[in-house]
Structures are given as structure tokens and as C-alpha cells.
Amino acid sequence: MAGRRYSSDLTDPEWALLEPLLPGPSATGRKRTHSQRVLIDAMLYVLKTGCAWRLLPLNFPPWTTVYAQYRRWRIRGVLKHVHDVLRERVRIAAGRDAQPTAGIIDSQSAKTTEAGGIRGFDGAKKVNGRKRHILVDTLGLILKVVVHPADVQDREGGKLVLEGIKQTYPKLEKVWADQGYTGGFLHWAKESSGVLVEVVSPWWRQAKRSLPDLVEDVDPRKTFHVLPRRWVVERTFAWLGKCRRLSKDDEALPETTQHLVYLAMIRLMLRRLVRAPPV
């Protein structure tokens, strides 16, 4: 590597943090032709620019090589493992415990393309595609992501996210959510997942119950409100929105999209760790 070619490329300090977390060379099989660093840079280029794998610039390795490596890492859970290790390091650098005790859950609908795969129509958002259902900690770092058809309601998709969550995060006790997670989901979360889910209501909805005359003319559709706790997960979606590959869901498999989300967070956390003072 003569130096960074694109702004999406890893810097030397970032690569120094990432390299030890990646699998070493195999004892069997063919010798590596391309370094893992240049393959990672190619994946980040696709993620940031939104281009097709086949349209990778010629100064990267062949797109088939890059995608094959990404697919292997996805199947073996390498990207998820790297993501989880970096998240713990970011939490420790921020003065938090490595394991979270609280989180925020929400979903985002994204249009799909002709690539195929499962999809559905979100009547509320008028989107034909899939939902990215994420659970984040109080810093906005992703704990879990599940991609499912957009016609699955939040209370059902939330079960996919919280199912077995205590096995991975035994200290997790409380999760904040919006009005889409009311009903039987609250009881299910407490009984099946051992997590208390608290629904955060907008201020105008709470005020209408106690002071209806003062807020009778409030139109929530025309007024922006920062809701306690819930703004954290919305900020995470904004972080992901900076990656053009995630502006739509171009993938045939939901698992591919899930690991692209993890890759986007890996990029963000590497930059944050490089900027952070040593601990």
C-alpha cells in the first residue's frame, strides 16, 4: 500500500487496531494473493459509495475476490465478532462497562431492488422492502441487528431482536421503545427475554392526558420533538445513512445486509478509537 487512495480507506492506526482481530493465514490452501487490508478497503469503498461489486475501480483486486472474502467472513461470523470486540473497547474508552445494562430498540424501512429475496410492504411508511431492526446501547452502538420483511409489525420484529438477548448480554435489564411496541410485546419481553421494555411517549401525548386544553391545537406531524432516549437510536440510523450502500437494500439475502450494517459500525468505531485518548 503506497498510501490511502480513497477517503473510505483505513488509515495506518485504524488498520493496526483491526488487523489482530482478523483471521490469520490458513495453514492449507493457496497462498494469499491480496492483503486483507486492501480487501477491507474495497469492501468499505462499496459500502460508502454504494456502487455494485462489479463496478469496483480497477486499482482494487477483482470484485469476485473481494466479494468472496466478504461472503466467507459473513458465513463464519468474522465481521460480527470484530464488531462486538470493537464495541466493548469503545464502551470502555468512554468510561462505561463493557456489557450494557440498557438499550433502545427501533426499526427502519428500506426499499429493495430487483435483486430478489424476501420483502414486504410497510403500510405506515408506504415502503415495499425490508426493515432493519436494531437494538443499540445508550451510546448508540449496535448490540444486534435483524433484517426482515417490511410488512412485519414492530412488536413482532422486536421479538426477533430480543429473543435470546440475555444469553449474549446478561446484564441487559431495560430497553426503551416507541409506541409501535405496545400491547402483548411488553409482557412477552418481560416473561420470555427477562428485559423490561419501557415505551417512551411524546410529550404532547402525555400532556393531552393531564392538560388537554393547553395542547389541543398541537399538530405532532408539523412539529419536531426530541424524545428522551429514543433520539439515540435515531442518531444511529443517521450514522448508517452516510453509507450509500444502505440507502436501499440491494442484497438478495437479509444476512448480507445485516453484516453490511456491522461493517459500517466497524468503520465508525475504528475512527472513534483512533481519536480517543489511550486508557
Side-chain angles (χ1 to χ4, degrees):
M1 293 285 291
R4 298 182 69 200
R5 296 164 293 182
Y6 303 100
S7 61
S8 58
D9 289 353
L10 296 172
T11 63
D12 291 338
E14 291 167 350
W15 174 243
L17 289 175
L18 179 61
E19 184 179 17
L21 303 179
L22 297 176
S26 176
T28 59
R30 293 184 301 175
K31 187 178 179 180
R32 285 177 179 169
T33 306
H34 305 283
S35 70
Q36 289 185 312
R37 180 172 181 175
V38 72
L39 294 176
I40 282 283
D41 284 341
M43 297 175 198
L44 293 175
Y45 182 90
V46 171
L47 181 66
K48 184 66 175 180
T49 65
C51 76
W53 293 100
R54 295 174 182 268
L55 297 180
L56 272 171
L58 297 179
N59 53 0
F60 282 121
W63 76 269
T64 51
T65 303
V66 177
Y67 181 75
Q69 183 66 81
Y70 172 78
R71 183 176 181 272
R72 283 193 295 269
W73 283 347
R74 173 180 64 80
I75 294 174
R76 298 174 184 175
V78 172
L79 294 177
K80 178 65 166 61
H81 169 72
V82 172
H83 170 272
D84 292 346
V85 172
L86 292 178
R87 184 193 62 244
E88 292 184 358
R89 292 184 182 180
V90 171
R91 287 183 57 84
I92 293 173
R96 306 294 183 90
D97 190 276
Q99 287 291 323
T101 59
I104 308 97
I105 190 172
D106 203 355
S107 68
Q108 178 190 60
S109 296
K111 294 181 180 179
T112 51
T113 63
E114 70 282 357
I118 61 172
R119 67 185 69 193
F121 183 74
D122 183 354
K125 302 292 179 60
K126 302 296 187 292
V127 171
N128 184 24
R130 298 178 184 144
K131 280 184 180 179
R132 299 163 188 156
H133 226 122
I134 66 173
L135 175 67
V136 304
D137 64 9
T138 53
L139 296 178
L141 305 177
I142 289 181
L143 303 178
K144 186 176 180 180
V145 56
V146 176
V147 178
H148 56 73
D151 58 353
V152 176
Q153 293 184 351
D154 283 353
R155 60 178 63 94
E156 296 301 322
K159 294 179 180 180
L160 300 176
V161 178
L162 295 185
E163 186 176 9
I165 198 67
K166 276 286 194 177
Q167 299 175 7
T168 308
Y169 307 103
K171 294 184 178 181
L172 188 67
E173 299 178 356
K174 191 171 187 178
V175 171
W176 288 281
D178 62 16
Q179 295 291 326
Y181 298 88
T182 54
F185 175 76
L186 304 180
H187 177 74
W188 176 91
K190 184 63 176 178
E191 296 298 322
S192 300
S193 297
V195 176
L196 175 64
V197 176
E198 178 181 328
V199 175
V200 180
S201 300
W203 70 268
W204 53 265
R205 183 167 294 177
Q206 297 174 351
K208 279 187 176 181
R209 299 192 186 104
S210 56
L211 302 171
D213 296 336
L214 296 181
V215 294
E216 60 180 358
D217 296 329
V218 173
D219 187 349
R221 296 171 297 178
K222 298 181 180 180
T223 309
F224 175 76
H225 307 286
V226 177
L227 300 180
R229 304 294 182 180
R230 278 183 51 197
W231 68 268
V232 176
V233 69
E234 297 297 344
R235 183 183 60 181
T236 302
F237 281 129
W239 290 341
L240 298 178
K242 295 181 180 180
C243 300
R244 290 190 177 184
R245 185 75 179 191
L246 296 176
S247 61
K248 289 186 178 181
D249 194 330
D250 296 315
E251 316 305 327
L253 298 176
E255 295 79 8
T256 304
T257 303
Q258 289 172 193
H259 284 77
L260 283 176
V261 172
Y262 289 132
L263 182 61
M265 293 302 295
I266 288 173
R267 188 71 185 90
L268 182 147
M269 290 187 293
L270 284 173
R271 287 183 173 176
R272 188 170 296 186
L273 286 170
V274 168
R275 294 197 305 262
V279 294

